[in-house]
Amino acid sequence: PIQLVQAATAIANGGKMMKPYIVQEIKDDEGKVLQEGSSEVVGEPISAETAAHVRDLLRGVVTEEYGTGRKYDIQGVDVLGKTGTAQIAEQGGYLNGHGQYLYSFLGMAPYEDPEIVVYVSVTKPNLTTEQSGNDPVSMIFNAVMQSSMVYLDLEPNEEELLEEAEESGFDMVNVVGERTTYATELLEDKKVIVVGEGDRIDYQEPAEGVRVLN
């Protein structure tokens, strides 16, 4: 994972690859800093132009209609990244079957000038038949990325979100009580996640009338 993150820094930093460090600082009992981590450029494996082009492609993974990373498209956060699915070797062969893989996502944000890189992997998650490997990975990644954006004060402010919603959003319709198949068809061009196996919708979020980013 650390090697993957180091490689990703070249894409995030205009071709300059940074050496990750784990410990921010070490202090003695009196609070004096004995050792402090610092940024270090360890190579330039790609050009700035190539890095910018790859960032564009990785943004498409999250935003394009057939992108494999649609579940990582966090409202108000311009995420870019790459999904991963790896076979698991056991007892001289490879596992197969639903959920019997290592699922991962390496993402960064914000898109224009990435400051955060997050890598998450989940091995053999306990999935329902309706879930994909992206489901457990995105639950972790999205929470960590949003918290990190808040911590670094990189989240867009409320005014920016409202402007974006007015330009490209839609007013949520009421689907409570409707058949699940009808509700998903009605919102087929939106990002719909159905939780449970019932035939009708018992509860919805966002509520009817809420302005939602498309």
Side-chain angles (χ1 to χ4, degrees):
I2 293 178
Q3 289 175 321
L4 288 170
V5 169
Q6 176 168 308
T9 62
I11 299 170
N13 289 298
K16 293 182 173 61
M17 185 167 65
M18 312 302 293
K19 180 179 180 180
Y21 57 89
I22 303 299
V23 179
Q24 182 173 340
E25 61 183 13
I26 299 173
K27 296 180 180 181
D28 62 16
D29 293 338
E30 298 177 353
K32 180 181 178 180
V33 177
L34 304 177
Q35 183 177 329
E36 188 172 11
S38 61
S39 300
E40 178 185 353
V41 178
V42 291
E44 195 166 348
I46 56 177
S47 67
E49 292 76 17
T50 298
H53 181 59
V54 173
R55 285 198 301 273
D56 288 339
L57 296 175
L58 295 182
R59 179 63 177 150
V61 170
V62 177
T63 62
E64 295 297 329
E65 181 179 359
Y66 297 106
T68 58
R70 295 291 299 274
K71 290 183 182 292
Y72 306 92
D73 192 10
I74 305 171
Q75 180 173 310
V77 181
D78 295 333
V79 175
L80 56 148
K82 181 69 182 71
T83 58
T85 306
Q87 292 179 298
I88 300 173
E90 282 191 13
Q91 299 179 351
Y94 290 103
L95 298 180
N96 58 66
H98 189 55
Q100 298 299 295
Y101 296 89
L102 186 153
Y103 303 96
S104 64
F105 185 74
L106 193 155
M108 57 189 77
Y111 161 62
E112 294 295 340
D113 184 19
E115 295 194 35
I116 302 170
V117 177
V118 176
Y119 174 75
V120 175
S121 70
V122 176
T123 302
K124 294 196 292 186
N126 185 17
L127 304 175
T128 66
T129 55
E130 292 80 17
Q131 288 180 313
S132 71
N134 275 325
D135 287 310
V137 178
S138 63
M139 288 177 62
I140 301 169
F141 176 90
N142 293 354
V144 172
M145 179 58 77
Q146 286 181 306
S147 297
S148 300
M149 295 287 285
V150 171
Y151 178 77
L152 295 178
D153 197 25
L154 295 173
E155 273 201 325
N157 59 41
E158 185 175 350
E159 183 178 334
E160 290 173 335
L161 285 174
L162 287 174
E163 289 178 359
E164 185 177 349
E166 286 301 321
E167 293 176 1
S168 62
F170 66 96
D171 293 325
M172 186 63 188
V173 297
N174 181 38
V175 294
V176 174
E178 301 289 355
R179 288 192 175 276
T180 304
T181 52
Y182 171 76
T184 53
E185 288 174 2
L186 182 65
L187 300 168
E188 62 179 352
D189 60 335
K190 318 303 180 189
K191 296 169 192 168
V192 178
I193 298 176
V194 178
V195 179
E197 301 178 357
D199 294 331
R200 292 187 180 274
I201 304 298
D202 293 325
Y203 174 81
Q204 71 175 59
E205 183 67 36
E208 179 185 8
V210 173
R211 191 70 175 175
V212 182
L213 292 179
N214 197 353

